[in-house]
Each structure stands twice: as structure tokens, then as C-alpha cells.
């Protein structure tokens, strides 16, 4: 190997990350290979602070419910609610219990105090209101969109009344039936009511788009963007529920693809507001196809990062994260013939690597793929190393 790996590594700092790119990316994505590790979130927080203070980034977007994220954003921008309330109601996936997430929210609120609106930091969730085994009712998104339109456009243009929506939606438990993920026949998603709601949602979103100039004059850009979020979330949920009720072999593949499509739409909306820092699992942010197995079935689909990269090109940047050990989960020292093993031999506890240069240096002696004994950690795929702009490597994750 002609290139010494130490020569293409740097400190994990905002300035070093920015040196990887010819210009400031509009969306700078940092992936993580596992969830629930505070050390990864603390590294994310440090990089975000540096990007804010040195590079002018103003938004952080994470893999959490996009509608709940509005609660966090209202707190950090305007002080609405309390920190305890925000941590309880503003996050999905259990993220509200994270000390690092709490510190992020606290720091953002402190940073924003006494600053004008143009300099305040914003927060966004990019995931849909769904978990791996369930999806919310579209009620919250649909009724909020309808309410916004009803307050500002000719009522004769509205596709339905609030009462019609309420009747078609019915009780929320018909949408959140736990058995529906494994048994399509238990899903409400292809009922006559759900089909009607999908058409109505499409009409409401079309009305929103058609009246954008009027609505921007009558309300604020923030209000309009929030209504747009409600619209795309309602449509995304109705699509998701529809395919939850599907019994074909492609059912799971459609569902994982739809989830990343919802993430991609939210990321593009975030990007439209200015430079943003994004944090989610590597599999959602990488440029190549994602893959997994569900119920023994292999699935391959295009990630949110791949979809956004297709739209933004060089304005999208992706830095992956890889790990040495997670001993409390049975992930021990990596083999020396893997990428993780090569990096583990370096003296740094953590480092930033120029991924394309590392891939070029390893071209003549391709490293072996690492196999994790724990399903919760997804090792780096060395075949796609060059698809990342950079690689953050943390040597050992302590148990917290």
C-alpha cells in the first residue's frame, strides 16, 4: 500500500470535514452504523456545533418523527414548552431518553436566545410517523392541512369538510392495529375509506400548491412549509397503509422503499431552507442501494441519501461512520484485514478519513468485509467505500 493511512486521516472536527469538499454542501449527512450509542450522538453534537460556529449551518435534521420534530423546533426557536416536555413529546424511536439528544436541544435553545430569527438554529425530524412495525393514523397530518387551507382559501375549493374527514378516518386504532405488519388482512389501508382519503389528500395538497402565492402573502413561509409537511406526510402515510394491506411478495420491499422516500422528501424540504446537517443510520444516507433481511426475505432498495443525491448532486455530501468495538454488544476487535481493522491499528481513538483516497490506497489489496456477531451493528461495506465523501472512525464505544 503506497499511501500511509495516517496521511489521509484527520481530527473529527468541522474544519477537517469541510476540507473534504470543494464547496460547502447544502446537505451534509453523517451516518451511524448502529443506534442507541451515546458516543455517536456526542460526536454528532460536537460536529454540529462546529458547523454552526464556523460554517454557517443553521439546521440539524435527525432520524425521528417529522411531525414530532415540530415540537422540538418550536422550543429551540421560540422557547415553546419546557425541555422535559420536548424530550417526552418531540422525539420518536426512544430518542427522547438520550442524554446527548437532551444536551443538543438545550444547547440549541441557549444559542438561539437573544438572536434574531435569521440567525436562529432549527430542528427537523426526517422520518415518517411510523416505526418498523406500525404506522400512525393520517389524522393529525390531514386535519392540520385541512385547517390551514380552510382558514385562507375559498371554502368552495376545499375537497371536503372536517366532518367528512373525521368520518372517513374513524378511530385511530383501526390504523395502528399491531397485527397489521405481519398480517396484511388486518390492515385498514385498502379499505374504501382509505382509498377516498388518499384522493382527498391529493386534492388538498394540489390546492395548497396552486395557492402558494396567496398563502405566502396571507401567512408566513414557516406556516406554508409546515402545511406542506402535513400534506406530504398525509400522502406518505396513506401510501404506506395501502401497501401494508398488500399480500404480494413485494409488500415488504415497497414498505422499506416508501419509508426512505418519505425521508428523502423531508430532506429536500430541509435543503430548500439552507445548509443543513443530517444525522441518521448509514443505510438511510448512503448513495448506494440499501439492503437487509426481514422475515428471512432479502430486500434491496434505494435509500433516502441515494434519492437526494440524484436530485442535489454535489450539494449532497455523505460521511459514514464505522466502529472498532462495541464490547458490551459482543462486537470485539476487528480482524486486521478489514477496513475497521486497519483503522483500529492507528493510534487515534477517533479519526476522520478521506474515504475516496482510502479506497484508492486499498485498491490493489481489497479489504475483507467485516461480519458483526450482533445484528444491531452494520459493518462498513468495503466495496462502497469510495461512495462516501468521508469516514468517521471511533475505536471503542464505552457502555453507558
Amino acid at each position: 500500500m503506497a499511501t500511509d493511512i495516517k496521511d489521509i486521516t484527520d481530527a473529527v472536527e468541522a474544519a477537517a470535514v469541510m476540507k473534504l469538499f470543494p464547496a460547502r454542501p447544502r446537505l451534509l449527512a453523517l451516518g451511524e452504523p448502529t443506534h442507541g450509542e451515546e458516543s455517536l450522538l456526542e460526536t454528532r453534537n460536537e460536529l454540529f456545533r462546529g458547523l454552526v460556529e464556523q460554517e454557517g449551518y443553521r439546521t440539524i435534521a435527525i432520524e425521528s418523527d417529522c411531525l414530532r420534530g415540530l415540537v422540538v423546533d418550536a422550543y429551540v426557536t421560540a422557547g415553546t414548552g419546557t425541555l422535559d416536555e420536548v424530550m417526552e413529546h418531540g422525539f420518536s424511536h426512544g430518542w427522547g431518553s438520550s442524554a446527548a439528544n437532551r444536551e443538543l436541544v438545550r444547547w440549541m435553545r441557549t444559542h438561539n436566545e437573544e438572536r434574531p430569527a435569521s440567525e436562529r438554529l432549527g430542528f427537523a425530524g426526517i422520518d415518517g410517523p411510523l416505526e418498523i412495525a406500525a404506522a400512525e393514523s393520517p389524522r393529525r397530518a390531514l386535519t392540520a392541512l385541512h385547517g390551514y387551507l380552510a382558514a385562507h382559501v375559498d371554502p368552495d375549493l376545499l375537497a371536503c369538510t372536517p366532518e367528512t374527514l373525521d368520518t372517513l378516518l374513524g378511530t385511530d386504532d383501526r390504523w395502528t392495529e399491531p397485527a397489521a405488519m405481519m398480517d396484511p388482512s388486518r390492515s385498514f389501508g385498502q379499505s374504501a375509506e382509505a382509498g377516498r382519503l388518499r384522493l382527498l389528500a391529493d386534492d388538498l395538497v394540489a390546492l395548497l400548491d396552486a395557492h402558494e402565492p396567496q398563502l405566502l402573502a396571507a401567512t408566513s413561509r414557516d406556516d406554508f412549509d409546515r402545511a406542506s409537511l402535513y400534506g406530504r406526510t398525509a400522502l406518505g402515510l396513506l401510501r404506506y397503509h395501502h401497501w401494508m394491506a398488500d399480500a404480494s411478495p413485494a409488500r415488504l420491499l415497497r414498505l422499506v422503499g416508501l419509508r426512505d422516500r418519505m425521508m428523502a422528501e423531508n430532506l429536500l424540504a430541509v435543503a430548500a431552507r439552507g445548509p443543513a446537517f443530517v444525522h441518521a443510520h448509514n443505510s438511510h444516507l448512503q448513495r448506494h442501494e440499501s439492503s437487509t433481511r426481514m422475515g428471512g426475505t432479502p430486500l434491496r432498495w434505494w435509500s433516502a441519501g441515494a434519492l437526494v443525491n440524484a436530485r442535489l448532486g454535489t450539494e449532497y455530501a455523505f460521511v459514514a461512520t464505522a466502529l472498532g468495538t462495541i464490547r458490551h454488544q459482543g462486537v470485539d476487535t476487528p480482524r486486521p484485514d478489514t477496513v475497521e481493522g486497519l483503522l483500529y491499528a492507528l493510534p487515534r481513538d477517533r479519526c476522520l478519513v478521506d474515504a475516496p483516497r482510502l479506497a484508492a490506497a486499498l485498491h490493489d489489496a481489497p479489504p475483507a468485509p467485516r461480519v458483526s456477531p450482533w445484528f444491531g451493528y452494520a459493518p462498513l461495506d468495503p466495496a462502497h467505500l469510495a461512495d462516501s465523501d468521508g469516514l468517521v472512525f471511533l475505536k471503542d464505544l464505552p457502555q453507558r
Side-chain angles (χ1 to χ4, degrees), residues 66-296:
C66 58
L67 297 188
R68 293 194 189 192
L70 295 172
V71 174
V72 185
D73 188 63
Y75 176 76
V76 300
T77 57
T80 304
T82 68
L83 181 56
D84 286 343
E85 290 169 345
V86 168
M87 300 314 296
E88 181 179 356
H89 302 294
F91 293 87
S92 61
H93 302 76
W95 291 127
S97 63
S98 162
N101 281 337
R102 186 181 186 89
E103 175 57 22
L104 171 70
V105 175
R106 187 208 61 76
W107 178 79
M108 291 177 70
R109 178 62 200 143
T110 300
H111 180 279
N112 284 343
E113 289 176 345
E114 310 302 329
R115 278 183 165 83
S118 61
E119 296 179 13
R120 291 177 193 156
L121 307 180
F123 179 95
I126 63 168
D127 208 350
L130 44 86
E131 300 282 353
I132 190 65
E136 278 193 13
S137 163
R139 174 184 302 278
R140 180 168 44 152
L142 265 179
T143 56
L145 173 62
H146 188 280
Y148 175 79
L149 289 168
H152 301 291
V153 303
D154 185 337
D156 291 337
L157 295 174
L158 291 170
C160 60
T161 65
E163 292 76 20
T164 298
L165 281 183
D166 189 60
T167 299
L168 291 171
L169 286 162
T171 59
D172 287 349
D173 59 6
R174 65 171 35 169
W175 299 94
T176 57
E177 164 60 55
M181 178 52 74
M182 302 307 297
D183 182 357
S185 68
R186 300 292 294 275
S187 172
F188 187 69
Q190 291 190 14
S191 64
E193 294 92 336
R196 175 87 187 282
L197 284 166
R198 197 170 171 187
L199 290 173
L200 291 174
D202 184 70
D203 283 340
L204 291 172
V205 170
L207 184 63
L208 180 76
D209 292 342
H211 287 260
E212 182 174 358
Q214 172 190 337
L215 293 167
L216 286 176
T219 69
S220 67
R221 165 58 68 179
D222 286 344
D223 289 340
F224 181 85
D225 287 348
R226 190 177 303 113
S228 296
L229 171 62
Y230 291 137
R232 63 179 178 268
T233 302
L235 283 173
L237 280 172
L238 287 163
R239 289 189 196 102
Y240 197 89
H241 279 290
H242 177 89
W243 290 108
M244 282 186 74
D246 178 51
S248 77
R251 176 176 182 266
L252 291 176
L253 181 58
R254 286 188 184 275
L255 292 178
V256 294
L258 282 172
R259 182 187 178 198
D260 269 80
R261 184 178 186 271
M262 291 177 73
M263 287 188 184
E265 289 180 335
N266 287 331
L267 283 172
L268 290 168
V270 167
R273 301 296 298 271
F277 181 55
V278 184
H279 189 250
H281 199 279
N282 285 334
S283 63
H284 293 305
L285 298 177
Q286 63 198 25
R287 289 187 173 96
H288 57 276
E289 277 187 300
S290 297
S291 62
T292 192
R293 297 184 72 88
M294 294 182 69

Side-chain angles (χ1 to χ4, degrees), residues 8-14 16-17 20 28-33 39-44 46-47 277 279 282 318-324 339-340 343 349-355 358 377 380 385 388-395 397:
I8 53 176
T9 65
D10 211 328
V12 183
E13 298 174 347
V17 171
L20 298 171
L28 173 53
L30 175 68
E32 63 175 8
S39 296
L40 296 175
L41 302 185
E42 289 164 358
T43 299
R44 173 206 66 188
E46 291 175 27
L47 281 176
F277 181 55
H279 189 250
N282 285 334
F318 171 55
V319 176
T321 297
L323 306 174
V339 172
E340 292 93 336
L343 297 174
D349 289 331
R350 64 180 192 176
C351 63
L352 173 70
V353 187
D354 185 320
L358 179 59
Y377 170 57
L380 186 73
L385 182 59
S388 303
D389 298 295
L391 176 65
V392 168
F393 181 74
L394 278 66
K395 198 167 190 175
L397 291 194

